[in-house]
Structures are given as structure tokens and as C-alpha cells.
Amino acid sequence: MLEYVTDADDPRLSDYTRLRDVELRKSLEAERGLFLAEGEKVIRRAIGAGYPIRSVLTTRRWLPSLADALGDALAYVVSDEIMSGIAGFQVHRGALASMERLPLPSVEHLLTGGARRLLVLEDLVDHSNIGAIFRSAAALGVDAVILSPRCADPLYRRAVKVSMGAVFSIPYARMDDWFEGLSRLREAGFQTLALTPDQQVTPIDTVKLSDRVALLLGSEGDGLSSHWLEEADQAVCIPMSPAAMAAGVDSLNVVAAAAIACHGLMRG
């Protein structure tokens, strides 16, 4: 169903309000149970993953490329100028879609659902980093992701965009108890490995992996908390070049570290 809109302040477009105001968007999206998908490819992946469409915001030029995916969904069609004004940026991938969120599975559901390789993220707050890590995890075959209570939202628009829709293809759950979270993993039979830049611990590519492994990654600035480092079964590192370390390069950013560590996690 098409509706042509000629005013950026039209109340029908309220799902797309002030897209650069992160705090407003987080509260609005939580209140309405929605998230935004940007671009034809990501919108198609969200639809394919079963997320219902609330509406789509697009222009005449991009409408034909989306028509087969939208079916009878509500599509607001605006000019290029209005689109840029609403979004606050040039939408290079043609469309924004407001999608209904689905209920998250519980941590217990993921732990008992046959997963063998998990990523467990503690307090990562940057949406771009969350999206990039989900993309790496999905690409390398990780079965699921578990988030600590303070991690950023994987369905925030920036995370979805950076992941290229990979957040739709890998199951995830959010812990409700950070302090006891790792004990629940161990009770489910998971070996817990804490990734740290400390070069004195065991290199990840030499660790004997059990049948079920959970890799722990910490926040962008401080890394894993001392509590999780102590609670984990073993601390592991990605070996760094001694010359680089002598020059002051003593760690990788969390996205690069996650990709390398996920590759090591999947060996064998």
C-alpha cells in the first residue's frame, strides 16, 4: 500500500523521527517495539528473518527495486529532499524500514539449544563495534551471541547497517544477571575462555578446545572486568608481534580481535 507524503513533519512518519539523536531513538524504539533497517539488502534480510514490517520510507526512484519484497506493506513515498531531511543524511541504499522487534530468546534457550560455539560480550557500548562483531561471528560460524546487560543494542540502526543484516542471522540473548552469568555457562557444559591482550597467557590457537566453548570479549576501553577474568576457565590471547609491542602497539581493537579469535575458536 503506497502513501505519498510531502511534509517531513507528517505524523505518519513518526517512526523515523530524529535519527541522529541516539538517546531519543533508543527510548522511542524500545517504547514502540521497533527497529530501523536501512537499504534494500538489509531490509530483505530482515523480512527473510521473519521480522514484520511496520512501514517503509523510500523515494520514487527506489520503490521498484523493493516492490517484490514489500507485498502489501505500507510504504511512504517521499522526495529525495524530504528523505535527506528526515534522515539527516543521504540514504545511499534507497530506503528505511520500520520493523517490529521479535521476543528475544532466553540465555537458557541458547545454552540448551545445541550451540557449540558462543561469543559472550561484556559491556560493549559502541553500536558499530557490536554490528561488526556480529558480522564476523556469523561469517565464521559462531552459533550464538550472549550479551551482558549493558551491551549496546544489536538492532540499533547503526549496528544493523554495519553488520549488513548479520544480526538477523545469528541468535542472541541478553543476560539478566551479569555477576552469575558465567556460572550458568559452566553449568551448561561450556568451557569459558577470556580474551585478553596480556601476552603472558595462553595463545588462543594453542588451547585445547572442548566440545562446547564460550569466548568472552570485554569492553572497548577496559576489556574484560576482573570478575569475568577470574571466573573464566582460562585466559587466552592473540599473539602480538614483539617489534610492534616494542613500538607501543600492544593490542588490537575489539572488532579485529573478535574476528581473529572467532577464527581460532572454529578450528577443528
Side-chain angles (χ1 to χ4, degrees):
M1 182 171 60
L2 302 182
E3 294 188 15
Y4 292 86
V5 180
T6 58
D7 183 355
D9 295 323
D10 191 305
R12 289 176 291 178
L13 306 183
S14 61
D15 279 1
Y16 306 95
T17 296
R18 291 168 62 185
L19 297 185
R20 288 188 170 182
D21 188 329
V22 176
E23 294 306 315
L24 172 68
R25 291 302 309 181
K26 286 195 292 189
S27 61
L28 182 150
E29 293 180 14
E31 176 185 329
R32 299 185 185 179
L34 65 87
F35 69 93
L36 292 187
E38 180 182 342
E40 177 190 353
K41 182 180 292 186
V42 172
I43 292 170
R44 288 181 181 276
R45 287 180 176 173
I47 294 170
Y51 291 93
I53 305 174
R54 289 167 60 95
S55 68
V56 172
L57 179 66
T58 189
T59 63
R60 290 178 185 270
R61 180 166 65 97
W62 286 95
L63 185 60
S65 65
L66 282 166
D68 66 300
L70 299 183
D72 60 357
L74 177 60
Y76 297 121
V77 183
V78 298
S79 67
D80 289 337
E81 292 75 20
I82 289 179
M83 186 70 157
S84 295
I86 291 171
F89 54 89
Q90 186 66 40
V91 180
H92 295 291
R93 295 177 179 88
L96 295 168
S98 175
M99 314 292 296
E100 296 277 0
R101 290 176 181 253
L102 299 175
L104 283 182
S106 66
V107 170
E108 286 73 17
H109 177 79
L110 294 187
L111 297 182
T112 59
R116 297 180 55 248
R117 295 292 184 266
L118 298 178
L119 221 68
V120 188
L121 308 183
E122 183 187 38
D123 296 354
L124 272 79
V125 297
D126 184 280
H127 292 101
S128 294
N129 287 344
I130 288 286
I133 290 171
F134 265 76
R135 187 172 183 179
S136 295
L140 293 168
V142 172
D143 296 312
V145 177
I146 295 176
L147 308 172
S148 75
R150 293 191 295 186
C151 276
D153 178 13
L155 292 185
Y156 187 75
R157 180 183 58 81
R158 182 66 180 165
V160 173
K161 180 179 180 181
V162 170
S163 80
M164 286 302 295
V167 293
F168 309 137
S169 63
I170 183 166
Y172 71 93
R174 191 176 291 274
M175 289 179 173
D176 53 17
D177 182 357
W178 164 83
F179 194 81
E180 297 295 339
L182 298 193
S183 63
R184 292 159 70 184
L185 295 176
R186 282 196 299 275
E187 289 167 5
F190 281 88
Q191 173 190 15
T192 54
L193 302 180
L195 189 66
T196 170
D198 182 357
Q199 297 295 291
Q200 303 305 309
V201 303
T202 307
I204 191 170
D205 56 356
T206 67
V207 174
K208 183 178 181 180
L209 301 177
S210 69
D211 183 58
R212 311 186 83 190
V213 184
L215 177 68
L216 318 179
L217 292 172
S219 66
E220 292 87 353
D222 298 328
L224 287 166
S225 65
S226 58
H227 174 64
W228 272 24
L229 280 169
E230 292 167 2
E231 285 287 307
D233 294 323
Q234 188 171 1
V236 296
C237 70
I238 297 169
M240 298 283 294
S241 159
M245 294 192 68
V249 182
D250 60 355
S251 64
L252 295 160
N253 70 47
V254 69
V255 173
I260 295 169
C262 283
H263 185 270
L265 192 66
M266 303 309 295
R267 59 187 164 85

